[in-house]
Amino acid sequence: MEWRIDAGSQTLAFTSVGGIPQVIWWGPRLAAGEDLGQLAASIQQDLTGGMIDQLPALSLCPESGRAFQGQPGLICAEADGTPLHPAFELGRATQDENSLTFACHAGGLTLIHSITAQPTGVFTLRSQLQANRPIRVQWLAAPVLPAPQHATDVIDVSGKWIGEFQLNTLPWTPGIRLREARTGRSGHEHPPYVIMPETGCSATAGAAFALHYAWSGGHRMVAEELPDGRRHVQFGAPLGAETEPAKQFETADLIAVWSDRGLNGIGAVFQADLRDRVVQWPDANRPRPVHYNCWEAIYFNHNLADLSAIADRAAAIGAERFVLDDGWFGRRDDDTSSLGDWVIDRNKWPDGLHPLIAHIHSLGMTFGLWFEPEMVNPDSDLFRAHPDWMLGPQDQVTGRHQMVLNMALPAVRDHLFAAISAVLTEYPIDYIKWDHNRLLPVVDAEQTRGAYELFDRLRTAHPSVEIESCASGGGRIDAGILARTHRVWLSDSNDALERLRMQHDAALFLPSCITGSHVGPRKSHTSGRILPMAFRAWIAAQRHMGFEMDLRELDADEVATLTLVTAWYKSNREWMMAGTLHRLDSADPAMTAEVQIASDGGRFVVFAGQSEASAQILPRPLRLTGLDPDATYRLTLLNPQDCPPQSRGPNALKKGALEMTGRVLMAQGILLPVAWPATMWVVQGERL
């Protein structure tokens, strides 16, 4: 029997001859009258020497009990450890307009695969295992999808602190490409994303498939090419994350996207899905406020006079939200003490935070506050009172002088809810920066489920408060956490050159409206580089803009530049934050460029960042994408004042507006002026 389900421009189709269904089609939306029986017949493989006499199905859960040669989708055992190798039979299939569910049975076990077509054009897929007695599960994959045969490479993501979202392009070869994040969060090292481009796919053209596992507690990804040539990809929690016998186990959602518009097509769908479905906005119509964070200005040295003076400057430049970072609670004079003691430090704040908040409100800004709820310092009142609340062994090595609270314990969650809720109730706080700086000492899915429960409880009690997910920068960025938060801190690096690359690559997954980007200090605190204000400001204006520096260090020219760019961001954020980011295929590797296009296609902005000196003398043309080929656009260079002295020729954009068709802009491109390294050209376009 066969089934199909459609989401946006893609279709998934399945067949079963009695066992767990397998995918017979994942790709462009099939015609309404497509004969699925013929499609199922068309994928039946031959047999040859060296094989068993029946090819085991590459099903939604490949089974060790059916002689499958590759990685099984389920590894389980009786409660006493006796291995189980079930061979499931399909019991029922149920389908409505937007969902399809298969329930399969074997030896007291029921395996349920659910596929949902979301209105944003993605599929979400989930596996659930039910048992009639407690069993142990070492590995349960979300529904397993085939990987493309017309492909030579696979792209996954790695990174590090201050170097997040690095794309790895690796060849498909026989065997397994295994990525496993075992640090208790989605991780700098192995974010839960993979893209599978077909041969010839570029940023702007060609077919690609992509998956995103919506879980914040680490994951395991297996991209496998079998000896017979078939390929598949599995996602689930890390091996052994379910530590106790139970009667029910469930994966997170696996988000699946196919596109025939290149890598940008993948990015466009992921961006829209996170922005329009996953993130639950307190007020979706509220403009994304210009953000000020005090961390790299004062660190732990809090006092009312300095922060008030900085707030004055932030408001004058255009900030709309002021965030007080780490250092306001307990006896928090450095990072060695007081995590867990969420009470105001009366030595720093004898009257509490009321005087600071009143001053910030008088300037027209709202107020946000930093927390790190899941962590505890050994030197804290909380740890001294409840050493049994710590996760992992007593003799473990600390990380950033801290331990992890066991979020699986209801008493821990109750305490944290009461402490945080008390602060949110006493003070008018509209924003939380929620940090997570410590790698977990053990792998345990209950830790993530407990953290989710705390997020959900606080969101219910304080529905107007926005939350940022920060984990030493970009260590916890996934759809699981974004279902509970509204912004991510992409990286602790405010170095604009580093940010140029990171933001460019993260655009394959993240929309601009949730991606925090700050103008950092004149001398970067993470790289030591000194970069021009114009470059730093335009990099921040590409995403959800903010400042993070001691604004008292700025000279008059820097203030003027930052004020100008901030005003431009505020004038354009409404359409930018609701639009689509497209990475551009630059012919010059020294240039990293993107175009942001309004949802109605009526306007766009090109950001073209020069990271280093070009190999050739003059700029190469930069082709745009995503435009209407038959429309005419007026292009304006917004920052001709940033031209270096060496730019002395008759470049048209330097002199005034150009009017060109989308066809010309996408086929020939635009010629920008000569640029120094660490500069950004910004070209705004409007459809006539």
Side-chain angles (χ1 to χ4, degrees), residues 61-234:
C61 184
E63 298 164 278
S64 59
R66 295 191 186 274
F68 184 73
Q69 287 182 274
Q71 170 69 39
L74 172 65
I75 303 174
C76 61
E78 298 287 2
D80 65 3
T82 303
L84 290 169
H85 297 282
F88 289 93
E89 296 292 336
L90 179 62
R92 71 181 187 279
T94 57
Q95 186 167 17
D96 59 28
E97 183 179 359
N98 297 312
S99 66
L100 176 60
T101 301
F102 301 110
C104 302
H105 307 284
L109 306 180
T110 298
L111 182 62
I112 300 171
H113 292 116
S114 303
I115 302 97
T116 303
Q118 300 292 352
T120 51
V122 306
F123 290 113
T124 54
L125 304 96
R126 183 177 288 238
S127 299
Q128 184 183 91
L129 181 66
Q130 301 171 353
N132 62 1
R133 74 276 187 193
I135 64 169
R136 292 184 180 274
V137 167
Q138 187 179 23
W139 168 247
L140 174 63
V144 177
L145 297 179
Q149 292 285 303
H150 301 286
T152 55
D153 296 321
V154 61
I155 302 171
D156 60 24
V157 187
S158 63
K160 65 183 182 70
W161 178 70
I162 67 171
E164 289 87 341
F165 277 88
Q166 299 177 30
L167 302 183
N168 307 300
T169 301
L170 300 160
W172 279 103
T173 59
I176 289 175
R177 166 68 170 167
L178 174 66
R179 301 294 303 276
E180 189 160 15
R182 301 188 63 82
T183 61
R185 56 191 190 186
S186 38
H188 301 80
E189 308 85 1
H190 310 288
Y193 311 96
V194 68
I195 300 175
M196 298 167 284
E198 292 194 346
T199 303
C201 180
S202 68
T204 57
F209 304 75
L211 300 169
H212 171 186
Y213 191 59
W215 179 248
S216 310
H219 71 283
R220 184 173 189 248
M221 182 200 84
V222 178
E224 183 173 28
E225 181 175 306
L226 299 168
D228 56 47
R230 293 178 296 169
R231 297 166 174 166
H232 65 136
V233 179
Q234 300 185 17

Side-chain angles (χ1 to χ4, degrees), residues 463-526:
S464 65
V465 176
E466 288 192 12
I467 303 176
E468 172 183 278
S469 173
C470 175
S472 298
R476 187 158 65 175
I477 299 177
D478 59 83
I481 204 69
L482 280 165
R484 297 159 173 88
T485 59
H486 313 92
R487 189 182 199 252
V488 297
W489 186 227
L490 187 65
S491 177
D492 280 342
S493 174
N494 283 320
D495 180 309
L497 276 173
E498 298 288 344
R499 279 278 179 158
L500 175 66
R501 197 276 311 156
M502 277 188 273
Q503 292 177 181
H504 184 71
D505 289 339
L508 289 173
F509 312 101
L510 307 178
S512 58
C513 58
I514 69 160
T515 307
S517 187
H518 294 175
V519 184
R522 183 183 296 128
K523 182 176 181 179
S524 171
H525 290 192
T526 55

Side-chain angles (χ1 to χ4, degrees), residues 17 39 44 85 115 166 206 253 393 429 460 583 605 638 643 656:
V17 291
L39 183 59
Q44 293 181 17
H85 297 282
I115 302 97
Q166 299 177 30
D253 280 343
I429 294 166
T460 299
R583 300 182 346 146
V605 60
L638 296 183
C643 284

Side-chain angles (χ1 to χ4, degrees), residues 280-282 417 420-421 424-425 432 434 451-467 483-486:
Q280 303 299 302
W281 302 100
F417 173 80
I420 297 168
S421 192
L424 297 179
T425 300
I432 291 174
W434 187 305
Y452 282 174
E453 194 273 343
L454 178 60
F455 274 103
D456 294 343
R457 191 173 171 187
L458 285 166
R459 287 285 315 283
T460 299
H462 306 277
S464 65
V465 176
E466 288 192 12
I467 303 176
R484 297 159 173 88
T485 59
H486 313 92

Side-chain angles (χ1 to χ4, degrees), residues 665-678:
L665 291 171
M666 292 188 291
Q668 177 174 289
I670 58 175
L671 278 175
L672 294 163
V674 168
W676 276 350

